[in-house]
Amino acid sequence: MRSLRLRRLISIFIGTSLVTTALTGTAGAETSPDGANDWNCRPSFFHPHPVVLVHGTFENMAFNWSKLSPVLKKNGYCVFALNYGGVPDAPVQGTGDIAQSAGQLAAFVDRVLQATGAPEVDIVGHSQGGMMPRYYAKFLGGAAKVRKLVGIVPSNHGTTASGLVTLGRLLGLLAPVIKACPACGQQLVDAEFLGALNSGGEASPGVEHTVIATRYDEVVTPYTSSFLNGSGVKNILLQDKCPGDTNAHLGVNFDPVVHRIVLNELGFLTAYWPVDCSDPLG
């Protein structure tokens, strides 16, 4: 039984990496997802803010945004995506120190703003990618450059990994995982990094925050730890929109319902439009 629990604990931290490697391969890690990183794109009157896509832990931009990026592009947005927190061209990204990753995001946003001429960007992030930009906004001057942050199952208050983190500590297994993946340790429910990030207010003034969580999240647990407190915050539970949607932590990246919610949240007039669960993208 202990051996089975150990395998489950390790799978929480590296399972996504295996899926990513299998689907994208090592050669495609630096490949932009369809629709992203057209540096000649100029924002339109109806979509004046470029959208920056920020992947999660153990992921990369090509895999994480293979479905949402072309949806955003089709709907008229200038879309940009980056890899961070990993060795260049490696399939596994997002494992490095989160503060350093936020610095990479800061440099990328500056590049997007310079190329497009836009005054601000919108950010859409998955898991760590929905939480890490809050560090950028709060500590690296990003609040003046970000209009809206949409976090998809973000690790805003860390994860208990359904109790497996506690088990891992008892068995002395967390230390090697955290050594290989500093960002993993920084996303545990009682991590010092998250305590500092969430102290003094969870939402950065001037930035609109939307959180999309799923009841079936098996990585960020409990799922309610994704939600933020404070003014300018909108928390959305996927199952409140579509009760029959059972997508979990990874599946939300490929869920047309989630894509519709993101489109609605980025739009000026569509935030409260109903979602057609049977045909969300029309």
Side-chain angles (χ1 to χ4, degrees), residues 10 52 91 106 130 153 174 278 281:
I10 295 174
V52 175
V153 294
L174 283 184
S278 62
L281 296 178

Side-chain angles (χ1 to χ4, degrees), residues 119-121 123 133-148 203-209:
E120 295 176 305
V121 300
I123 294 178
R134 293 178 50 226
Y135 187 96
Y136 161 56
K138 187 170 187 176
F139 297 117
L140 302 181
K145 301 175 183 180
V146 178
R147 179 188 73 105
K148 175 167 280 193
S204 292
V207 179
E208 301 174 45
H209 295 75

Side-chain angles (χ1 to χ4, degrees), residues 195-212:
L197 177 62
N198 292 324
S199 66
E202 296 179 5
S204 292
V207 179
E208 301 174 45
H209 295 75
T210 295
V211 172
I212 304 169

Side-chain angles (χ1 to χ4, degrees), residues 7 9-20 58 92 177 181 184:
R7 290 197 298 270
L9 172 67
I10 295 174
S11 73
I12 288 291
F13 292 104
I14 66 173
T16 304
S17 133
L18 298 177
V19 173
T20 302
F58 294 127
V92 175
V177 173
C181 174
C184 295

Side-chain angles (χ1 to χ4, degrees), residues 56-79:
T57 311
F58 294 127
E59 298 179 302
N60 61 53
M61 62 177 170
F63 170 72
N64 207 150
W65 306 117
S66 61
K67 297 301 182 183
L68 180 58
S69 179
V71 167
L72 291 169
K73 184 68 172 180
K74 181 179 179 181
N75 280 268
Y77 289 92
C78 289
V79 184

